[in-house]
Amino acid sequence: MRTIDTIYINGSFVQPHGKEEAALFNPATEEQIGIVRLGDEQDVDKAVSAAKAAFAILSQSSKAERIAMLHSLHDAVSARAADLTDAMREEYGAPASFIGFSVPHAATSFLHMASTLETYEFRRRIGHAEVEMRPAGVAAAITPWNSNYGFICGKLATAIAAGTTMVVKPSEMSAIQTQLLTECLHAAGLPNGVFNIVNGYGHVVGAALSAHRDIAKISFTGSTVTGRAILQAASATFKRVTLELGGKSPNVILDDADLDTVIPQVLAAGFANSGQACIAGTRVLAPESRLAEIHDRLAGAVATLKVGDASDPEVSIGPMVSQKQWDRVQSYIRLGQEEGARLIIGGEGRPEGLNRGWFVRPTIFSDVSNDMRIAREEIFGPVLCVIPYRDEAHALEIANDTVYGLQAYVFSSDLARAKRVAERIDAGRVVINGAPHEPLAPFGGFKQSGIGREFGTYGLESFLEPRAVLS
Ligand code: NAD
């Protein structure tokens, strides 16, 4: 049992003023593994004051100084990659493939920002104006549990690159991971107050940050419902906001696709991070002409997937993060059947042989129509909907008929054709034929998947305010 009873303010681990506590669990065993003491509004005030004092210094720092800080942060996080991996496995239960991506991704986000900074011009001339990109002011980051290290490191890297200090409110369900990461960040030896980390509930610490008069910018990743609450709270003081929200991504199989290579990629996109991914390709759009073949292959491939404890390297789907998340996914599996969708594989309950842990049977529905709730709402578990389409135009109509627009996937043997289809999908990112992540390209959603972009120059500029001086 671990007890986490400190938060991080002004360069020190301190006891929070808040007295509330939350239990921490291993989702593979359902056992309680720790307890975290949570911060409150007074802790937020202290953290914001520290960040405000440090802003006066960081905002005046040189590019070279910020690049040096980013390199120190990278080195400090990389140095404890093994510990970070263990904590993520125990407290979150992600499969080895996802942890293997997440931990290096978190560390290298500092290097990516350092390289963005190297070539970024903070001052430019436009006609007779001198335009300066200034740090926006003290920022807050509010992050979810499904990739704790990556979201904290990515947002912090961008803030520092912009010369902006930060208060981070991570998910209260990730406190063991956060504690370890904070120790790494502390070891980087940055000036006090540049970053501050306050554990706490969303409706307490998150809400206090969203309304705080000294916070100028909020970078949030989480659900669309919470994003809306933050946007409303932020509007009172006209904070700048970046919102990275939910998705219901189309996973479009064109009729010329080579199913031998495509089916494993469709499942990798759909079941990424055990299905607990905003970018999961959960609506599989399948041509009617090949529907039977696609059903067979999907069912065959899912039957070979191993669900279980992430300490087993052969496991590709881990547990849901919490009992609440498990219940939610079960309720959608029930709902799909009630709505008249056909189960091809999976269903309610735990997979065979697993009688504890928040494990879900990887589930595929077919005969799904795009107006069913299982096709419209984010389930956030390993549950996919196969939606048949007649022709390319019909596929595009279905792909875009959603309130979301975060990411989309297109599979075809003809790259030019895939690009033509990709061009007509309303999403912040379209991935063709399983292309790998590009860390410097913009990431973010259209429509209700968010506002603004992260990564590279686009992310950096979201922490900056342009100012023109005319002479
Ligand atoms: P969530 O919205 O419940 O919580 C996210 C964070 O917001 C947590 O730290 C939470 O404590 C805080 N919060 C909750 N209520 C708040 C309030 N009123 N004011 C301020 N902060 C508040 O989301 P979650 O369940 O932790 O994560 C899953 C969701 O995140 C999914 O919808 C998923 O799609 C989304 N997500 C989006 C992206 C992206 O990049 N677009 C990435 C990962 C996850």
Side-chain angles (χ1 to χ4, degrees):
M1 265 293 262
R2 247 150 306 176
T3 301
I4 293 165
D5 58 1
T6 56
I7 54 178
Y8 187 79
I9 296 181
N10 205 27
S12 302
F13 288 88
V14 295
Q15 289 242 321
H17 174 269
K19 302 274 182 288
E20 268 188 288
E21 290 181 336
L24 303 165
F25 294 92
N26 177 334
T29 61
E30 302 178 35
E31 277 162 15
Q32 188 179 343
I33 53 172
I35 192 152
V36 55
R37 183 164 153 193
L38 303 170
D40 65 8
E41 292 84 353
Q42 286 203 31
D43 296 307
V44 168
D45 281 342
K46 277 192 204 140
V48 174
S49 299
K52 195 174 168 184
F55 180 76
I57 299 157
L58 192 72
S59 58
Q60 299 304 315
S61 61
S62 68
K63 227 191 218 193
E65 286 167 326
R66 293 179 205 168
I67 289 172
M69 289 182 206
L70 292 167
H71 280 275
S72 304
L73 288 162
H74 164 265
D75 296 349
V77 173
S78 298
R80 295 192 64 190
D83 295 338
L84 291 164
T85 298
D86 290 346
M88 186 170 176
R89 189 188 294 125
E90 188 185 7
E91 187 182 39
Y92 178 53
S97 57
F98 186 69
I99 302 183
F101 164 79
S102 287
V103 174
H105 163 74
T108 53
S109 59
F110 294 110
L111 297 185
H112 292 312
M113 255 310 143
S115 73
T116 299
L117 203 47
E118 265 158 27
T119 53
Y120 188 76
E121 296 298 344
F122 283 89
R123 286 177 182 274
R124 316 153 199 178
R125 276 208 89 79
I126 298 180
H128 65 282
E130 191 179 334
V131 176
E132 180 198 1
M133 301 299 284
R134 284 203 171 186
V138 177
I142 302 178
T143 58
W145 41 262
N146 66 334
S147 186
N148 179 62
Y149 304 142
F151 294 129
I152 295 176
C153 291
K155 291 178 193 306
L156 181 60
T158 318
I160 289 172
T164 297
T165 56
M166 189 167 241
V167 178
V168 181
K169 199 234 60 87
S171 171
E172 61 282 6
M173 288 156 66
S174 311
I176 293 174
Q177 296 164 80
T178 299
Q179 176 71 13
L180 200 55
L181 183 67
T182 311
E183 287 170 20
C184 297
L185 301 174
H186 174 72
L190 265 52
N192 292 346
V194 165
F195 69 92
N196 306 272
I197 300 187
V198 182
N199 286 317
Y201 285 127
H203 65 277
V204 180
V205 172
L209 286 168
S210 309
H212 204 290
R213 66 175 192 282
D214 288 333
I215 294 287
K217 153 95 193 172
I218 301 216
S219 179
F220 169 72
T221 299
S223 64
T224 296
V225 171
T226 304
R228 197 170 285 123
I230 289 175
L231 188 59
Q232 273 165 358
S235 71
T237 46
F238 292 96
K239 296 185 196 327
R240 279 50 184 154
V241 290
T242 301
L243 303 176
E244 299 291 355
L245 310 176
K248 195 75 191 177
S249 300
N251 212 336
V252 186
I253 306 175
L254 293 178
D255 58 9
D256 63 356
D258 167 16
L259 296 182
D260 285 340
T261 51
V262 163
I263 293 296
Q265 292 176 336
V266 165
L267 290 178
F271 291 156
N273 194 3
S274 310
Q276 300 178 121
C278 51
I279 54 171
T282 49
R283 290 186 300 142
V284 179
L285 273 50
E288 278 175 3
S289 57
R290 301 186 71 183
L291 197 56
E293 198 186 346
I294 289 173
H295 285 168
D296 286 351
R297 284 170 183 262
L298 283 173
V302 170
T304 66
L305 295 179
K306 190 161 182 187
V307 181
D309 191 321
S311 54
D312 177 348
E314 283 178 14
V315 157
S316 55
I317 300 184
M320 302 295 92
V321 73
S322 62
Q323 176 77 54
K324 186 174 160 209
Q325 200 62 25
W326 190 85
D327 290 341
R328 174 188 161 94
V329 176
Q330 296 300 318
S331 76
Y332 275 104
I333 298 176
R334 266 192 306 282
L335 175 69
Q337 295 168 84
E338 286 159 17
E339 287 186 302
R342 180 159 63 94
L343 266 179
I344 297 186
I345 190 162
E348 289 169 70
R350 288 189 175 77
E352 227 178 86
L354 292 170
N355 49 22
R356 60 173 196 164
W358 294 309
F359 296 104
V360 169
R361 296 169 70 193
T363 295
I364 299 199
F365 281 110
S366 191
D367 298 343
V368 176
S369 85
N370 201 45
D371 56 7
M372 290 179 183
R373 280 182 55 203
I374 54 165
R376 303 201 81 77
E377 298 173 15
E378 197 178 38
I379 298 173
F380 230 55
V383 181
L384 307 187
C385 296
V386 178
I387 308 175
Y389 70 82
R390 290 185 301 276
D391 51 27
E392 222 173 86
H394 190 209
L396 282 162
E397 186 189 315
I398 299 169
N400 289 330
D401 177 16
T402 167
V403 297
Y404 294 114
L406 187 59
Q407 186 142 304
Y409 304 82
V410 179
F411 295 95
S412 169
S413 299
D414 176 350
L415 184 60
R417 182 180 175 207
K419 285 189 175 173
R420 263 199 328 272
V421 169
E423 216 163 88
R424 296 174 58 197
I425 298 181
D426 303 329
R429 270 195 181 193
V430 186
V431 178
I432 296 175
N433 291 337
H437 174 55
E438 172 47 70
L440 295 182
F443 175 76
F446 283 28
K447 302 190 271 184
Q448 294 183 29
S449 285
I451 294 178
R453 294 293 179 269
E454 295 195 291
F455 302 157
T457 309
Y458 295 86
L460 179 60
E461 291 198 332
S462 78
F463 281 81
L464 296 168
E465 287 277 12
R467 199 175 86 112
V469 176
L470 280 59
S471 59

